Amino acid sequence: MKFYHNTLLILLAIVLLAGCATPKGDTIADKRDYVLDMKDATLARLYEETPIAKEQIKNAAGYGVFSNVGTNLFLLSSGSGYGIVTDNDSRNIIYMKMRTLGAGLGVGIKDFRAVIIFRKREDFEVFVEKGWEFGGQADAAFKSGEKGDAYSAAQSADLDIITYQLTEVGAAIQATLQGTKYWKDKDLNQ
């Protein structure tokens, strides 16, 4: 009975934390600004940590920057978040939401940023219009602010993309197969 009660509390905490991955702000303009600030801060950090990424983004069809809160409890992983996709040709931006579900071994919760670089125009268009991605991910993250470290690897099974993950805070050790659904944020794209 105690195991059941503790497991239920952990699952509830995971659901509540995953639901926190939304842009902050009282108005649509505030939320858009929040997403743009997240994008700028993430790219600045990525360029500092991995300078080649700047050239990869410059030469790509487009790129996306996402904020995600992900959780893993034994065999189930889930996550949710938001982000922005930029078309390098037109410079148009599209605000998006995301939800992740997967299976694999692990335990933990982490707040991370993902930068997705689309090398091909077709992959960029498929992503924006259909939004599915399937892939594998492995993590070892123990980080709080500037303390600790994180190692992540992710690979898409269906798109020709480059993915970078930057852990903000969290503790996780996991290896999962995941499906992620991305879709346009109707409110922020008005």
Side-chain angles (χ1 to χ4, degrees):
M1 183 71 167
K2 188 174 181 179
F3 175 76
Y4 173 76
H5 180 65
N6 289 342
T7 304
L8 188 59
L9 287 174
I10 291 170
L11 288 173
L12 180 61
I14 287 171
V15 169
L16 290 173
L17 286 170
C20 293
T22 59
K24 308 290 186 258
D26 295 326
T27 67
I28 289 176
D30 291 343
K31 291 177 182 182
R32 286 180 186 150
D33 288 343
Y34 188 84
V35 175
L36 290 170
D37 289 345
M38 178 276 302
K39 178 195 85 155
D40 292 342
T42 300
L43 289 177
R45 180 175 164 204
L46 177 64
Y47 296 159
E48 182 178 314
E49 292 179 14
T50 312
I52 194 168
K54 191 171 195 171
E55 191 70 22
Q56 291 170 330
I57 287 175
K58 179 182 169 189
N59 295 325
Y63 64 95
V65 180
F66 291 88
S67 176
N68 186 359
V69 174
T71 58
N72 188 307
L73 186 60
F74 307 116
L75 297 175
L76 178 67
S77 67
S78 66
S80 64
Y82 59 89
I84 190 167
V85 176
T86 302
D87 183 324
N88 276 348
D89 289 341
S90 68
R91 289 292 175 216
N92 287 337
I93 58 173
I94 301 164
Y95 296 90
M96 299 187 82
K97 293 182 180 182
M98 63 179 290
R99 176 87 47 188
T100 300
L101 188 60
L105 297 175
V107 64
I109 183 166
K110 69 177 186 166
D111 176 7
F112 68 96
R113 306 297 173 262
V115 178
I116 304 171
I117 303 169
F118 300 92
R119 295 188 258 213
K120 296 179 183 173
R121 165 79 26 212
E122 311 84 66
D123 290 337
F124 176 81
E125 290 171 1
V126 165
F127 181 86
V128 168
E129 295 307 319
K130 296 188 179 169
W132 281 104
E133 181 188 8
F134 180 78
Q137 176 176 318
D139 291 282
F142 301 96
K143 187 166 182 178
S144 177
E146 296 297 318
K147 298 186 185 214
D149 215 341
Y151 300 94
S152 298
Q155 179 60 48
S156 174
D158 56 354
L159 298 174
D160 184 15
I161 62 175
I162 300 168
T163 303
Y164 292 100
Q165 288 188 6
L166 305 156
T167 300
E168 294 293 307
V169 65
I173 187 158
Q174 61 188 4
T176 60
L177 291 176
Q178 296 182 338
T180 305
K181 174 65 177 160
Y182 297 86
W183 67 96
K184 295 176 184 175
D185 186 320
K186 292 178 186 174
D187 294 332
L188 298 186
N189 285 308
Q190 292 182 28

